[in-house]
Each structure stands twice: as structure tokens, then as C-alpha cells.
Amino acid sequence: ILNVEQSPQSLHVQEGDSTNFTCSFPSSNFYALHWYRWETAKSPEALFVMTLNGDEKKKGRISATLNTKEGYSYLYIKGSQPEDSATYLCAPTNFGNEKLTFGTGTRLTIIP
Amino acid sequence: KAGVTQTPRYLIKTRGQQVTLSCSPISGHRSVSWYQQTPGQGLQFLFEYFSETQRNKGNFPGRFSGRQFSNSRSEMNVSTLELGDSALYLCASNSGRKADTQYFGPGTRLTVL
């Protein structure tokens, strides 16, 4: 079982501000890292799948970086908007263990 | 393309009963995974089915079982329900290739009284 930690657990950010949060995971046998956004009353929605050390992905105002050697990923949101309010989940996978192991998430609330 | 669908969306059962939940994956997807989410817990992996075979399994008791049909639709069964089984059950589908994005359904909210 992979030990996945996300911090902080929750975050309140003023609209227009930028923010970031962290996903930590075991670096050994790393294969891929998934980021999902889960809005209340909706299904989790895939944001990124990252596999390479140093990888950086971007989708609109949201971007993510990956450090597989030290076992962490950062998710950044630039110029937060109310629609960014959601729980952000990360899930690494390992070689030989293809199932996603989800962290407990960072719950982001944007204050208008 | 239609998304992942789950039925029923809500279910109320009593302790000791059994329940069957259904998941229809996105057309062309061969892998279906099931997850449980309870308050304060992350998404806990139950099992994955690929081409009608269980490919991965999480750490849940044998009361939790599943199956997949030739059209890739999947069912999950929980027998002898306990209060602690009250949760949101999500299924997700993908092509089955390693690291492929999983597409989630809306979930079934199970309440055990």
C-alpha cells in the first residue's frame, strides 16, 4: 500500500490570489502520478497524468510539476476563481501495481 | 460519447442485507475499477476488472465482490451489509492501458441502517 500525503488538508484563498498544494508519495518504483479535481455533487475529473521527472503540465490557470526522485508533486492555481473550489486529489501508481492510490485530498475554497 | 453511468444513484438498505451496484463504462473501455469513499477517508480502491477478469484487488473483506460482463459492464456486490459500509461507491473506466486516465461515474450513495 502506497503512503500518499496531501497538504494542506484544506485551504481558503481569496478570489484572484494564486495558490499551490503538495502531494508526497514514495519515490521507489514510481510509474505515474494522476491529479483529479472533485467538485461537490460531481464526479472526479482528471486534470493531469505525469510520468517523467521534471515534467510540468498546464491546463488553463492550473499547472503541476513532478519530482519523482524526491517523491512529490505541486499543483498550482493562478488567479483563483470561485469555480476552482473543489477537492484536489493526487494518486500515484507504481511499477507492478497499476491501481491508483488516492491521497485524502486538499479541499480548496475560493472566497469571493 | 456517453460517460460512465452508475445505477442506482441512491440506495437505502438495512444491516445484514446484500446489495448489487451496476456500472456501465464508456464505450470502448475495457477496464472498470471500483472505489469506496467514506467521510474522512480518501477514495479506497476495491478492485479492477479487465476483460471479465479481476486484475487488481484492494484490502476489503470477502463480503465485497464484483464481476464484469462481456460488454464490459460491471457489477459490485456487498453481502451481509454493515453500518460501516455506508459510503459513496464510485466506478471508473479506462482503456486498461497502464497510467491511462480514469473516467469516473457519478457514484452510488449507499446508506445502511
Side-chain angles (χ1 to χ4, degrees), chain A residues 61-82:
Chain A
R61 294 178 292 100
I62 304 176
S63 61
T65 59
L66 179 66
N67 183 323
T68 62
K69 295 190 187 307
E70 296 181 43
Y72 64 85
S73 175
Y74 293 134
L75 191 83
Y76 300 90
I77 301 179
K78 189 176 175 183
S80 303
Q81 299 297 310

Side-chain angles (χ1 to χ4, degrees), chain B residues 6 8 11 30 40 43 48 52 55 57 61-62 66 69 72-73 75-76 82 84 86-87 92 98 100 103 111:
Chain B
Q6 292 186 245
L11 205 47
R30 295 169 64 192
L43 285 172
E48 179 206 5
E52 302 179 64
R55 186 160 72 169
K57 188 177 187 305
F69 302 94
S72 293
R73 189 177 71 84
E75 287 181 347
M76 189 191 95
E82 300 177 359
S86 294
K98 250 185 166 179
D100 196 19
Y103 296 87
T111 302

Side-chain angles (χ1 to χ4, degrees), chain A residues 1 31-32 34 36 38 41-46 49 51 89 93-104, chain B residues 9 35 37 40-43 45 48 55-59 88 90 96 98-107:
Chain A
I1 298 176
Y31 186 79
H34 298 242
Y36 284 84
W38 195 356
K42 293 187 178 180
S43 310
E45 173 198 359
V49 180
T51 55
L89 300 168
T93 62
N94 274 5
F95 278 102
N97 183 4
E98 296 164 14
K99 65 179 198 245
L100 299 182
T101 302
F102 283 89
T104 51
Chain B
R9 294 292 309 279
Y35 297 86
Q37 200 225 13
Q41 298 281 323
L43 285 172
F45 173 78
E48 179 206 5
R55 186 160 72 169
N56 283 295
K57 188 177 187 305
N59 298 319
L88 178 68
L90 289 165
K98 250 185 166 179
D100 196 19
T101 296
Q102 292 211 347
Y103 296 87
F104 283 84

Side-chain angles (χ1 to χ4, degrees), chain B residues 23-85:
Chain B
C23 173
S24 292
I26 290 172
S27 177
H29 283 182
R30 295 169 64 192
S31 167
V32 173
S33 297
W34 289 89
Y35 297 86
Q36 180 198 64
Q37 200 225 13
T38 51
Q41 298 281 323
L43 285 172
Q44 305 287 314
F45 173 78
L46 282 153
F47 28 67
E48 179 206 5
Y49 284 86
F50 179 77
S51 292
E52 302 179 64
T53 303
Q54 189 179 86
R55 186 160 72 169
N56 283 295
K57 188 177 187 305
N59 298 319
F60 278 79
R63 300 185 297 107
F64 292 81
S65 63
R67 59 178 176 167
Q68 187 179 34
F69 302 94
S70 58
N71 62 358
S72 293
R73 189 177 71 84
S74 177
E75 287 181 347
M76 189 191 95
N77 185 274
V78 189
S79 62
T80 320
L81 283 165
E82 300 177 359
L83 295 180
D85 297 332

